[in-house]
Amino acid sequence: MNFRHTKILERARSQGKVTVEGLAAEFDVTLQTIRRDLTDLAEQGRLERVHGGAVLPSGQRNIRYEDRRRLNEAAKARIGLACANEVSNGASIFIGIGTTCEAVARALVHHEGLRVMTNNLNAVPILSANSANSVLVTGGTLRAADAGLVGAQTAQSVRQFKFDLAIIGCSGLDRRGDLFDYDLDEVVVSQTVIENSAATALVADATKFARKAPARIARMSELSVFVTDTKPPELAHTPPRTIIAGRG
């Protein structure tokens, strides 16, 4: 693997996506040279080619949680702030698993009177830092890869409550407007949360537009709001109200 390949992978991990034109300008080489680089990396299974560039590979397994936390980190922070603006003090909310949901938790730190249930153990110390809020953790099976609680017991915990707003993530979003994840045990929880919430917000950055995952969570039209960082592609089904978290 040559110097450009290493740098291209670093860009993909930090930004979520790399473009042919952007890389050609950065390395001062031709578009064809970058296309060959991306093809080589795709053949090695390190990247997945998309129109105009490449993204980290997707499929049957998610990438490591620490890598996901760094992936498009600034955009996730903006999404977190935009979603937090949708939450009123004193609300009853659910926060799901994932790095973007974790970013929402960070943005909610100054809210007051929140009643929060979560199956995201990464979010618990963040939310608990403000004693003006109460935090309830679901039961369930611990998924060590990302400190998430999943499975039937988690879903049963959720059924005991009604939320003003549920905040969930996903691993992939297709052009039909369906959202997907990798783990059926997590999907069951997300579906239960949607059923038990007056409103549901999906938080997902633009890297999810080009990723695939096997297990269907729901259709976008079932949700109340979609908070993202880039204008999403045109969907076959009407999306919910969409908030694009700008750079500000």
Side-chain angles (χ1 to χ4, degrees), residues 87-206:
V87 179
S88 302
N89 288 331
S92 173
I93 66 174
F94 181 93
I95 296 180
I97 299 172
T99 57
T100 313
C101 288
E102 185 180 334
V104 177
R106 294 184 189 282
L108 287 170
V109 70
H110 298 300
H111 278 58
E112 295 188 354
L114 297 180
R115 299 178 301 281
V116 186
M117 174 179 263
T118 186
N119 61 336
N120 185 342
L121 295 186
N122 293 296
V124 173
I126 300 168
L127 296 163
S128 300
N130 185 346
S131 60
N133 300 320
S134 63
V135 182
L136 179 64
V137 181
T138 68
T141 301
L142 175 64
R143 190 170 62 190
D146 61 2
L149 296 169
V150 297
Q153 187 176 348
T154 309
Q156 184 58 34
S157 297
V158 170
R159 290 191 186 96
Q160 309 308 310
F161 296 87
K162 185 72 175 179
F163 306 101
D164 297 319
L165 178 67
I167 301 163
I168 65 170
C170 70
S171 294
L173 174 64
D174 72 8
R175 289 185 177 275
R176 286 175 50 85
D178 290 340
L179 46 149
F180 296 84
D181 222 311
Y182 292 91
D183 188 347
L184 280 171
D185 284 336
E186 182 178 356
V187 167
V188 168
V189 176
S190 295
Q191 291 172 339
T192 306
V193 167
I194 293 170
E195 292 171 2
N196 286 270
S197 301
T200 303
L202 171 67
V203 290
D205 65 272

Side-chain angles (χ1 to χ4, degrees), residues 79 82-83 86 173 177 200-206 209 220-221 223-235 237-246:
I79 291 170
C83 185
E86 297 291 301
L173 174 64
T200 303
L202 171 67
V203 290
D205 65 272
F209 303 159
M220 290 281 283
S221 57
L223 310 181
S224 308
V225 62
F226 175 32
V227 188
T228 186
D229 61 317
T230 304
K231 183 179 179 180
E234 186 173 341
L235 304 176
H237 296 277
T238 304
R241 180 168 62 93
T242 300
I243 298 172
I244 299 174

